[in-house]
């Protein structure tokens, strides 16, 4: 059995904590400076880093059947769960619209598309630069910010490709040559800059979301492109700096890094319920509000690490679907598989 790469387990554990905390603190009161600054620090790199790691573990081309089974089926199942929660429990006005992903489910849809197109896209000369240009200019388009999650799909795609191109030895070399204290110093410097930007309140944190166009953010196209390019640079540096700082050996958090899918899929449901009571804790003062939001985040992570949630996630990502498997082997889809490089390999 291949030995686990605990560096990436630990990295994923760190990131999933940031994902959950980042979502919970978004509902902090507008004048909460600590939470606003924390949002800038978290959103500057947590999703680019997750996409980067997902790309690293996507080097092997998967067949369409596996992609449907592991990504699209869970997406549809959780879209239905969100719809039931929103409509029948929280009484929120929503629709069962599978082309408009709810909350964090956009990531599954984006992952499906990235894994589908990348075997073909990487055959283009300068494919990485093409992806960066598309990511920069999608903000100047008038694409619906949530339809098929297209804006985020284009914005974060370069990080998926960077992850696929990553040679594991490059990380080891960086960790050997650059001391953790130096990496920590770079980490603090970037975070200090982000804290200054947050306090200055000149730019919206949503510049890092990848979802919104430049017009919505109140930016001209040249300024929007320049800022997104700066965001790319910050995210890229932070990905490697954190990779140097993260422990590479097995520890108490390594197991958490193996359960990120369950936490990612379920935490939005708990957050939706928690958010219904946001008025009462916003009136308790900044320190109390901070404590409630962080404790609710950590409590959610602990709960979703438990076996029922992990087992359900594992089941929903491995539901046998013989009909889909047959479809994935014949006709146009079968020819597409060959173009993608799957050929006759077992799906």
């Amino acid at each position: 059995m291949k030995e686990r790469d605990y560096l990436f387990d630990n990295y994923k554990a760190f990131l999933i904590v940031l994902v959950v905390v980042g979502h919970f603190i978004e509902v902090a009161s507008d004048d909460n400076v600590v939470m606003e600054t924390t949002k800038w620090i978290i959103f500057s790199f947590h999703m680019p880093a997750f996409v980067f790691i997902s790309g690293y573990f996507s080097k092997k081309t998967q067949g369409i059947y596996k992609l449907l089974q592991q990504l699209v089926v869970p997406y549809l199942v959780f879209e239905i769960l969100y719809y039931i929660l929103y409509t029948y429990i929280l009484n929120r006005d929503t629709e069962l619209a599978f082309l408009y992903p709810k909350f964090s489910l956009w990531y599954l849809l984006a992952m499906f598309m990235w894994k589908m197109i990348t075997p073909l896209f990487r055959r283009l000369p300068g494919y990485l630069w093409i992806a960066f240009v598309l990511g920069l200019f999608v903000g100047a388009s008038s694409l619906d910010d949530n339809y098929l999650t297209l804006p985020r799909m284009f914005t974060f795609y370069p990080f998926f490709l960077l992850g696929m191109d990553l040679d594991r030895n490059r990380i080891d070399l960086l960790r050997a040559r650059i001391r953790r204290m130096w990496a920590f110093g770079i980490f603090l410097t970037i975070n200090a800059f982000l804290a200054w930007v947050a306090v200055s309140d000149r730019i919206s944190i949503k510049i890092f979301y990848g979802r919104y166009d430049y017009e919505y953010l109140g930016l001209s196209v040249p300024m929007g492109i320049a800022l997104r390019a700066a965001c790319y640079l910050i995210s890229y540096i932070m990905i490697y700096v954190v990779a140097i700082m993260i422990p590479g050996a097995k520890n108490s958090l390594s197991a958490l890094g193996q359960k990120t899918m369950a936490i990612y899929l379920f935490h939005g449901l708990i957050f939706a319920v928690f958010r219904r009571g946001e008025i009462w804790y916003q009136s308790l003062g900044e320190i109390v509000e901070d404590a409630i939001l962080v404790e609710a985040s950590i409590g959610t992570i602990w709960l979703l690490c438990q076996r029922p949630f992990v087992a359900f996630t594992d089941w929903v990502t491995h539901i046998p679907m013989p009909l889909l498997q047959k479809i994935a082997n014949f006709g146009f889809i079968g020819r597409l598989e060959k173009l993608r490089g799957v050929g006759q390999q077992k799906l």
Side-chain angles (χ1 to χ4, degrees), residues 274-291:
F274 175 83
R275 189 169 189 175
R276 294 288 287 183
E278 65 184 78
I279 300 300
W280 71 268
Y281 60 75
Q282 287 183 352
S283 63
L284 297 177
E286 187 173 309
I287 295 178
V288 177
E289 181 184 50
D290 296 348

Side-chain angles (χ1 to χ4, degrees), residues 37-180:
T37 302
T38 304
K39 278 194 290 185
W40 272 89
I41 294 171
I42 289 176
F43 281 89
S44 68
F45 83 100
H46 76 320
M47 286 315 300
F50 245 130
V51 175
F52 180 86
I53 293 175
S54 296
Y56 175 75
F57 286 107
S58 300
K59 295 179 184 295
K60 181 180 178 181
T61 302
Q62 288 181 295
I64 292 176
Y65 169 68
K66 281 295 183 184
L67 296 181
L68 291 171
Q69 183 188 47
Q70 296 177 3
L71 295 169
V72 176
V73 172
Y75 171 75
L76 297 176
V77 169
F78 276 85
E79 277 287 330
I80 293 171
L81 290 178
Y82 271 97
Y83 175 76
I84 292 172
L85 176 69
Y86 287 176
T87 304
Y88 299 105
I89 298 177
L90 301 180
N91 295 316
R92 285 178 55 177
D93 185 21
T94 188
E95 295 180 356
L96 187 60
F98 292 116
L99 300 183
Y100 294 84
K102 292 180 174 58
F103 199 61
S104 58
L105 298 182
W106 69 268
Y107 193 68
L108 294 180
L109 197 56
M111 279 289 292
F112 173 75
M113 292 303 300
W114 291 332
K115 290 193 174 192
M116 277 289 297
I117 68 172
T118 297
L120 301 174
F121 192 82
R122 292 179 83 198
R123 298 175 190 175
L124 297 174
Y127 62 87
L128 189 55
W129 291 108
I130 295 173
F132 273 114
V133 170
L134 290 174
L136 292 173
F137 280 90
V138 71
S141 71
S142 57
L143 289 175
D144 187 307
D145 66 344
N146 200 37
Y147 177 71
L148 289 174
T149 197
L150 290 174
R152 282 180 288 207
M153 197 180 296
F154 283 110
T155 301
F156 293 116
Y157 188 38
F159 293 104
F160 186 82
L161 293 171
L162 285 168
M164 287 196 74
D165 290 347
L166 174 68
D167 183 345
R168 182 64 173 77
N169 293 330
R170 188 191 309 170
I171 297 291
D172 293 333
L173 188 62
L174 285 174
R175 288 170 62 85
R177 290 185 174 180
I178 303 177
R179 294 184 177 183
R180 286 187 181 177

